[in-house]
Amino acid sequence: MNQNSLPDKDLKWSWLVLALAALAAIRIVGANVLALPVESDGKAYILMAEAMAGGMPPADNFGQVAFYSVGYPLFLTPFVAAFGSGLSIVILVNAALAVASGVLVFALARTLGLQRIFALVAVMLFAVWIPGVWNGAQAAKENLSIPLLLLLLLAAIRIYQGGGGKWLVVAGLSYGFGLLTGGSTILLIMLPVIALYFDTGRAWAAKLKHFVLVAISCAAIVIPWLVFTATTLGAPVLNTNGGFNLYLGNNPAATGYFVSIDQTPAGPEWSDLRTSRGELGASQELADRAKDHIISHPVDTATLAAKKLAVFWAPNLPDAADFSQSPMVAQMRILEVTQYLLILFGGLAGLVIAVRDRRPALLCGAAIGLFWVLHAAAYIIPRYRDPVMPVLLIGSAALIAWLVQKYRRTGALHVS
């Protein structure tokens, strides 16, 4: 991508400030227009934040302290302590996280070689990305997962480009907090590993030392939580939903999509199981049952895993409930599907053909792939792909830049 194809220096930084302000405004206005109820995971996150703000363990509505990942409610806690736990506070915090994501989208686009104007296009694409509006309207952990993934990817690319020790620390910290926010990020530790491998300017001994710095930085984030869960539950765990999720994705009633525990063979005894064995023991019991099912049905499991990988990228088509809710919601859902398909194919094309430096592009592809493949183990909900969608938004902006460059060249040839 030719950095001199457009007058990059003419783009003032005030335009980025305006774009970020527009991003925050869209999130806040969208949240207030949608006025979504607080329920399910969102209710649990707010209860956990309230408990921590009061100096108590992060208990959810069932009294569990580690079933839901602690990262997002932990981030909410100081705001809840200062301003209360109303949804309006959550919406404002989400808007601030969206602005942070917008800054990272801009930085990543620039790091990948896009001019400022096209990096700004990526920010505006993120601003009007409809799932981002849905997430901003509720207490959803994706609001935090997105900037953490973007920050880890940016750090990995800067590590490859010879960035100093601060980027190693940033990679470790963002990965560690990502683990606390959601277990689906666990494979992303490979990003700094791949970046160090690509960096031919470092000796192998130095690469090993630098990865140790990443690991130490990560440990600084997760060890206090592991100590807490070991003390409280009897074992150091990031969360206690791993066995639960594995079972929902691998049991006789599994479909690849989310299936309520009540609809599985373990449903009738689930409440008693939690009471008798506690949240850690109940999760381990479900994990054992899931493993038994996998071993007993290897072909069915492999087939279902392939289905999950396909469903991960399937458009989130509107259903009867969307149309019955309101005309506005129905129209947004239809627009969301169109927008998603354009971002998916445009983003992939942009990363493949429009990013000049191939190794950063490969790191973007690795981030998407590592995040995607882990979801073959459990079940799929459309919002699970949200953390990697901004990477495809940047790819879409890169494709737009590439097309503009080709048009300008073609136009110049015609004029001559």
Side-chain angles (χ1 to χ4, degrees), residues 67 144 175:
F67 184 80
L144 181 58
Y175 176 68

mmCIF file with all atom_site columns, all heavy atoms in Angstrom, residues 67 144 175:
data_model
loop_
_atom_site.group_PDB
_atom_site.id
_atom_site.type_symbol
_atom_site.label_atom_id
_atom_site.label_alt_id
_atom_site.label_comp_id
_atom_site.label_asym_id
_atom_site.label_entity_id
_atom_site.label_seq_id
_atom_site.pdbx_PDB_ins_code
_atom_site.Cartn_x
_atom_site.Cartn_y
_atom_site.Cartn_z
_atom_site.occupancy
_atom_site.B_iso_or_equiv
_atom_site.pdbx_formal_charge
_atom_site.auth_seq_id
_atom_site.auth_comp_id
_atom_site.auth_asym_id
_atom_site.auth_atom_id
_atom_site.pdbx_PDB_model_num
ATOM 1  N N   . PHE A 1 67  ? -18.080 -18.706 38.650 1.00 0.00 ? 67  PHE A N   1
ATOM 2  C CA  . PHE A 1 67  ? -18.728 -19.327 37.492 1.00 0.00 ? 67  PHE A CA  1
ATOM 3  C C   . PHE A 1 67  ? -18.633 -18.395 36.288 1.00 0.00 ? 67  PHE A C   1
ATOM 4  O O   . PHE A 1 67  ? -18.287 -18.818 35.187 1.00 0.00 ? 67  PHE A O   1
ATOM 5  C CB  . PHE A 1 67  ? -20.189 -19.648 37.808 1.00 0.00 ? 67  PHE A CB  1
ATOM 6  C CG  . PHE A 1 67  ? -20.889 -20.383 36.693 1.00 0.00 ? 67  PHE A CG  1
ATOM 7  C CD1 . PHE A 1 67  ? -20.714 -21.745 36.533 1.00 0.00 ? 67  PHE A CD1 1
ATOM 8  C CD2 . PHE A 1 67  ? -21.706 -19.708 35.804 1.00 0.00 ? 67  PHE A CD2 1
ATOM 9  C CE1 . PHE A 1 67  ? -21.344 -22.437 35.496 1.00 0.00 ? 67  PHE A CE1 1
ATOM 10 C CE2 . PHE A 1 67  ? -22.346 -20.380 34.774 1.00 0.00 ? 67  PHE A CE2 1
ATOM 11 C CZ  . PHE A 1 67  ? -22.161 -21.741 34.622 1.00 0.00 ? 67  PHE A CZ  1
ATOM 12 N N   . LEU A 1 144 ? -15.305 -5.419  26.986 1.00 0.00 ? 144 LEU A N   1
ATOM 13 C CA  . LEU A 1 144 ? -13.924 -5.421  27.461 1.00 0.00 ? 144 LEU A CA  1
ATOM 14 C C   . LEU A 1 144 ? -13.046 -6.375  26.660 1.00 0.00 ? 144 LEU A C   1
ATOM 15 O O   . LEU A 1 144 ? -11.862 -6.095  26.439 1.00 0.00 ? 144 LEU A O   1
ATOM 16 C CB  . LEU A 1 144 ? -13.882 -5.809  28.941 1.00 0.00 ? 144 LEU A CB  1
ATOM 17 C CG  . LEU A 1 144 ? -12.503 -5.833  29.617 1.00 0.00 ? 144 LEU A CG  1
ATOM 18 C CD1 . LEU A 1 144 ? -11.814 -4.483  29.511 1.00 0.00 ? 144 LEU A CD1 1
ATOM 19 C CD2 . LEU A 1 144 ? -12.636 -6.252  31.085 1.00 0.00 ? 144 LEU A CD2 1
ATOM 20 N N   . TYR A 1 175 ? -2.976  -10.094 27.749 1.00 0.00 ? 175 TYR A N   1
ATOM 21 C CA  . TYR A 1 175 ? -3.339  -11.506 27.692 1.00 0.00 ? 175 TYR A CA  1
ATOM 22 C C   . TYR A 1 175 ? -3.852  -11.987 29.045 1.00 0.00 ? 175 TYR A C   1
ATOM 23 O O   . TYR A 1 175 ? -4.862  -12.692 29.131 1.00 0.00 ? 175 TYR A O   1
ATOM 24 C CB  . TYR A 1 175 ? -2.140  -12.341 27.265 1.00 0.00 ? 175 TYR A CB  1
ATOM 25 C CG  . TYR A 1 175 ? -2.419  -13.831 27.269 1.00 0.00 ? 175 TYR A CG  1
ATOM 26 C CD1 . TYR A 1 175 ? -3.296  -14.391 26.347 1.00 0.00 ? 175 TYR A CD1 1
ATOM 27 C CD2 . TYR A 1 175 ? -1.819  -14.669 28.209 1.00 0.00 ? 175 TYR A CD2 1
ATOM 28 C CE1 . TYR A 1 175 ? -3.566  -15.757 26.351 1.00 0.00 ? 175 TYR A CE1 1
ATOM 29 C CE2 . TYR A 1 175 ? -2.088  -16.027 28.225 1.00 0.00 ? 175 TYR A CE2 1
ATOM 30 C CZ  . TYR A 1 175 ? -2.958  -16.566 27.290 1.00 0.00 ? 175 TYR A CZ  1
ATOM 31 O OH  . TYR A 1 175 ? -3.242  -17.915 27.306 1.00 0.00 ? 175 TYR A OH  1
#
